[in-house]
Amino acid sequence: MAYSPRLEPGSAIEFSTTELTGALGDSVTVLPLLVALAATTTVSLPHVLVGFGVFQIVWGLHYGLPLSVEPMKALVGLAIVGSLSYPELAAAGLLAGGVLLSIGRLGLVDRLQRVVGEPVVRGVQFAVALLLLQAAIGLSLENVPIAAAGLAIVATLALAGYRQSSVLVVLGLGGLAAVATTGVPTPTVPRATLFPAGTPTLNAAALEGTVAQLGMTIGNAAIATALLCGDLYDRDVSADALSQSMGVTCLAAIPIGGIPMCHGSGGLAGKYAFGARTGGANVLLGVGYLALALVAAGALLAAFPLALLGVLLVVVALELGRAAFDPVSDAQSIALVAGVGLVGVVVNVGVAFGLGAVAFWLLDR
């Protein structure tokens, strides 16, 4: 039986089994990316999980919808593959947060998306997917038999119709293997301090990452998510409002050890597919993240099999790559997506974004 608290119209939440299963739809890509980020950088996973837990709850209650709260994939992907250090990631996140809050307040989101062009945004997605795939191959080579076993599990579950949950199964198996090595960690409350993983460093790499991320965020996390709110939930949520809430999230979470976060359209669709219909899914998932933060010890993370981490990143990379090409149909746009992606891998994502924006403008003229 569901429990529905009395809230203002448009902000109703419900707690039920479907909201609980729906909550898992947003964690399919979130948890693998967070584990990979914590394993490859100096980020504090407990503090990151606290940030996700708090803002899942905040935006679920605020909007009354199972809005996604995801890592900013371009920035996090660049950090995982070593193109950004955590201090650079934090600086880029704060800068992105300030820009998102400002353009949302000024009502500029729709205009900026039209200037950049969707194929360029999709090209950045493709570049990050390729970079993650490179990192995944390197990690998988740490232990080829374990990686092969992980891929076999994913393939078997996908063929059985459980493609989405296959990532969580592999993540769970890796967690059990880590617990078997280190033992069950003692619950510990993350230390309350500013920038626990390092002071932000603003430099050219952080600026390039921010520019590339903003293209993805404006298109996918603001405009596409606003459209999905209407399509799936019959709710009128403006892209500018979503831009502002993402800006607030980054500016508030990063100083306490969080990472850049956004409202991804993929996570919203995932929650809907798994049964979530209200912000109750966010509350349940937020509580789960907060509980996980208590036991996400460094020793446990260090014992997580790197080869299985590679498998998780393969799945995430393939999903991100598929999402980059799915909305694109004409040959010119496909070529632009592929070109931006390849330049992003060979040179860097910031240069690819800039060249792609110029190419889109010339082709559009």
Side-chain angles (χ1 to χ4, degrees):
M1 178 178 291
Y3 163 64
S4 300
R6 296 177 61 85
L7 297 173
E8 293 299 319
S11 299
I13 63 171
E14 179 180 293
F15 299 116
S16 65
T17 53
T18 56
E19 296 298 316
L20 179 60
T21 57
L24 297 176
D26 201 20
S27 58
V28 171
T29 56
V30 171
L31 286 175
L33 282 173
L34 297 189
V35 172
L37 182 67
T40 54
T41 71
T42 60
V43 71
S44 168
L45 184 57
H47 289 87
V48 171
L49 288 168
V50 167
F52 273 89
V54 168
F55 285 101
Q56 281 280 354
I57 295 170
V58 166
W59 300 126
L61 294 175
H62 177 77
Y63 287 105
L65 290 171
L67 274 184
S68 171
V69 179
E70 301 178 354
M72 287 189 173
K73 292 187 177 66
L75 289 176
V76 170
L78 291 172
I80 289 172
V81 301
S83 297
L84 287 177
S85 65
Y86 174 75
E88 292 167 340
L89 173 69
L94 290 171
L95 182 57
V99 172
L100 289 169
L101 182 58
S102 299
I103 63 175
R105 293 284 292 178
L106 295 172
L108 298 177
V109 174
D110 287 328
R111 297 181 200 175
L112 288 175
Q113 170 66 6
R114 287 195 294 270
V115 170
V116 174
E118 183 177 0
V120 181
V121 174
R122 300 299 177 185
V124 171
Q125 285 182 294
F126 183 47
V128 174
L130 292 176
L131 289 169
L132 286 175
L133 191 58
Q134 283 184 341
I137 292 171
L139 290 171
S140 298
L141 292 177
E142 293 280 338
N143 193 319
V144 175
I146 288 181
L151 287 172
I153 293 170
V154 169
T156 301
L157 289 171
L159 290 173
Y162 299 100
R163 180 176 62 87
Q164 292 277 5
S165 56
S166 63
V167 174
L168 294 179
V169 171
V170 173
L171 187 65
L173 291 174
L176 289 174
V179 169
T181 302
T182 65
V184 179
T186 302
T188 304
V189 177
R191 185 167 54 98
T193 183
L194 286 178
F195 301 110
T199 305
T201 300
L202 184 61
N203 55 18
L207 288 172
E208 289 175 357
T210 302
V211 171
Q213 178 62 61
L214 285 173
M216 287 180 63
T217 301
I218 291 168
N220 178 58
I223 295 174
T225 300
L227 291 173
L228 270 183
C229 286
D231 293 342
L232 300 179
Y233 297 96
D234 195 27
R235 283 282 303 277
D236 183 15
V237 179
S238 76
D240 287 305
L242 294 173
S243 181
Q244 292 179 71
S245 60
M246 289 186 290
V248 169
T249 301
C250 290
L251 293 174
I254 291 172
I256 62 171
I259 61 171
M261 292 180 272
C262 62
H263 299 309
S265 59
L268 178 63
K271 281 183 174 177
Y272 184 88
F274 278 73
R277 296 296 182 269
T278 77
N282 283 50
V283 175
L284 294 170
L285 183 56
V287 171
Y289 282 149
L290 292 173
L292 190 58
L294 298 176
V295 294
L300 186 67
L301 181 65
F304 193 95
L306 291 179
L308 282 184
L309 193 57
V311 173
L312 295 175
L313 288 183
V314 167
V315 177
V316 173
L318 292 177
E319 185 64 24
L320 193 59
R322 181 196 61 77
F325 284 97
D326 266 1
V328 181
S329 56
D330 62 286
Q332 181 175 284
S333 295
I334 291 174
L336 189 54
V337 171
V340 171
L342 292 174
V343 172
V345 173
V346 175
V347 187
N348 68 57
V349 176
V351 171
F353 180 85
L355 292 176
V358 172
F360 176 80
W361 182 79
L362 292 173
L363 292 170
D364 194 46
R365 296 277 291 183

